[in-house]
Amino acid sequence: HDLLAPFLWPAMTPTGAAKAFIIAAAVLIVACPCAMGLATPAAIMAGANAAAQRGILIRDGVALEKAGKVTAVIFDKTGTLTIGKPEVTEIYEPLAPSLSPLGGERVVRAKRDRVRGIAASLARSSTHPISQAIAKLEPEGGAPQQPELSDWREIRGAGVEGKARMEDGEWKMARLGSLRWLKEAGVDLASGEKFIAEWSGQGATIVGLAIDQLLAGLFAIKDTVKPGARDVVEKLRRQNLKTFLLTGDNALTAASIAREAGIESKNVFAEVRPEQKADFVKKLQAQGERVAFVGDGINDAPALEQADLGIAVSRASDLAREAADIILLKSEIEAVPEALGLARATLRTIKQNLFWAFFYNALGVPLAALGFISPILCAAAMGVSDLIVIGNALRLLRWR
């Protein structure tokens, strides 16, 4: 110690009270936890800025921390794994007895136009992408049919219904929605089983129209899987994350979409009602999973809220955005593995920063207390520790 003193503080005379005062000052300076105070916020700020540059809006530091601990990712189907612009591909019109033609091709076409008109009118007031696809239906011939409707209402996760005025002036209950909902209402779907099986196997969503308890039409609606969906699932798998598909569609349609996206069949869950999505998230959480839910609709809000991490795409409803922790401003799910990877990198940086900050204090305090480093060197050491912590955090801006 006496040999080092001339090199460490040549202007100091290490005697008595002066020496004690300088050692005390050195301990106070080197013990300052400024680097520890910077370790976490510097990394969070750099991580959030790096995410924003990539079109990923992170609500707060808590969301960033949760994102770094995710173990399972659940995808909604429509508008998330798929493009979200479904189109009616094929229509099946069994012409139920109450709508059956009395003769002639022209009359048959008029009856079909009537069916399509009822379906389009029912769908027109709904904002659901599938409803909007049906609302665009045009008649095969003649003037567009605009039947009168009353008592219209939308049933979340099921469909729409209302009373429609028939050609004879009689008002009948018309329902347009999921096949499961129609079955629960007592509608016999036996005549359309072949159509349902064929188009469901091709990944189409089947929507039915019923007049009272009679099946009036089936609509095969296809939505294209996003081009990068399979690559996204593969990237998540390489990050050791489990992927799930959750949808209100039937099992055949869900299985077809999952195959295209590369999601394992055992992780596909179909015919799930909106309120059941949140229950499914709870089930995974009870198994010890940290769950991220990716969705875009009003129906997804409960699941987004229940999940450890909610991720909403840019075209998401306002309610879904409010419930989400992360919003993908570019709307593309390619940002999901990037967001989760960046979050984990941020957590690693926080731990690294805390280590270096603690290392400087743990090493500096004993040396200062024993008189081996002067207050000037202590101040320089703490400045260097701050620079190391900030510099390490700024590396996140170049993260790939």
Side-chain angles (χ1 to χ4, degrees), residues 192-208:
E193 285 181 354
K194 183 178 179 182
F195 178 88
I196 294 169
E198 177 185 352
W199 284 98
S200 293
Q202 297 181 35
T205 297
I206 310 300
V207 174

Side-chain angles (χ1 to χ4, degrees), residues 367-384:
L367 290 175
L370 294 172
F372 282 104
I373 49 178
S374 70
I376 294 175
L377 288 180
C378 289
M382 293 313 297
V384 170

Side-chain angles (χ1 to χ4, degrees), residues 179-202:
L179 302 183
R180 181 178 61 180
W181 179 51
L182 296 182
K183 283 182 182 178
E184 291 173 354
V187 179
D188 184 8
L189 304 176
S191 62
E193 285 181 354
K194 183 178 179 182
F195 178 88
I196 294 169
E198 177 185 352
W199 284 98
S200 293
Q202 297 181 35

Side-chain angles (χ1 to χ4, degrees), residues 2 51 62 73 92 97 109 132 159 181 244 261 263 268 280 283 313 349 368 383 386 398-399:
D2 291 333
V62 176
V73 181
Y92 171 74
R109 185 179 295 120
Q132 290 302 302
W181 179 51
F244 296 83
I263 297 176
V268 178
F280 181 80
K283 181 180 176 182
V313 297
T349 301
D386 291 344
R398 299 190 301 273
W399 178 84

